[in-house]
Amino acid sequence: MEKTVFTQEEIEQIKVLQDKYNTLGVQLVQLKLASKAGKEYLQSLQEQEQLVEQQIFETNSEEKELASKLDAKYGEGSLNVESGEFTPNS
């Protein structure tokens, strides 16, 4: 069997393609890692968002409870928070 030898140009072309595959493989791994990190970050943001929404709901409940107590004590009206002055509804 006779040996076939590729030309230097053909060898260089093959090496260029191998380098491209290696570079693309590294890029793909980097993108997958970044994507995973991004998904984890997004999940963390969504959890924080849910926590803040829950706190808003709880604060709204506290506000309604306080308003109910104050209405029972002073009647309906408006309050100037700066001066503390309450003006009852007529």
Side-chain angles (χ1 to χ4, degrees):
M1 186 188 278
E2 193 176 316
K3 282 187 174 180
T4 303
V5 178
F6 283 63
T7 67
Q8 189 60 35
E9 184 181 335
E10 292 168 332
I11 297 294
E12 287 301 317
Q13 288 174 334
I14 292 169
K15 286 181 179 181
V16 166
L17 289 175
Q18 287 175 333
D19 287 346
K20 281 184 178 181
Y21 275 120
N22 288 337
T23 300
L24 292 169
V26 168
Q27 287 177 347
L28 183 60
V29 168
Q30 289 172 336
L31 288 170
K32 286 186 178 275
L33 290 173
S35 176
K36 184 175 189 243
K39 286 177 185 176
E40 291 171 355
Y41 181 66
L42 178 60
Q43 181 179 357
S44 172
L45 289 175
Q46 289 170 335
E47 289 169 359
Q48 290 176 34
E49 179 182 21
Q50 289 174 350
L51 179 62
V52 169
E53 287 174 349
Q54 180 63 32
Q55 291 172 337
I56 289 171
F57 177 77
E58 290 169 0
T59 302
N60 185 264
S61 294
E62 290 175 26
E63 177 189 28
K64 286 180 182 178
E65 184 179 327
L66 179 60
S68 178
K69 285 180 184 178
L70 294 175
D71 281 350
K73 184 174 182 178
Y74 298 103
E76 290 186 14
S78 57
L79 170 67
N80 179 326
V81 180
E82 298 297 319
S83 68
E85 214 173 292
F86 175 76
T87 307
N89 289 345
S90 321

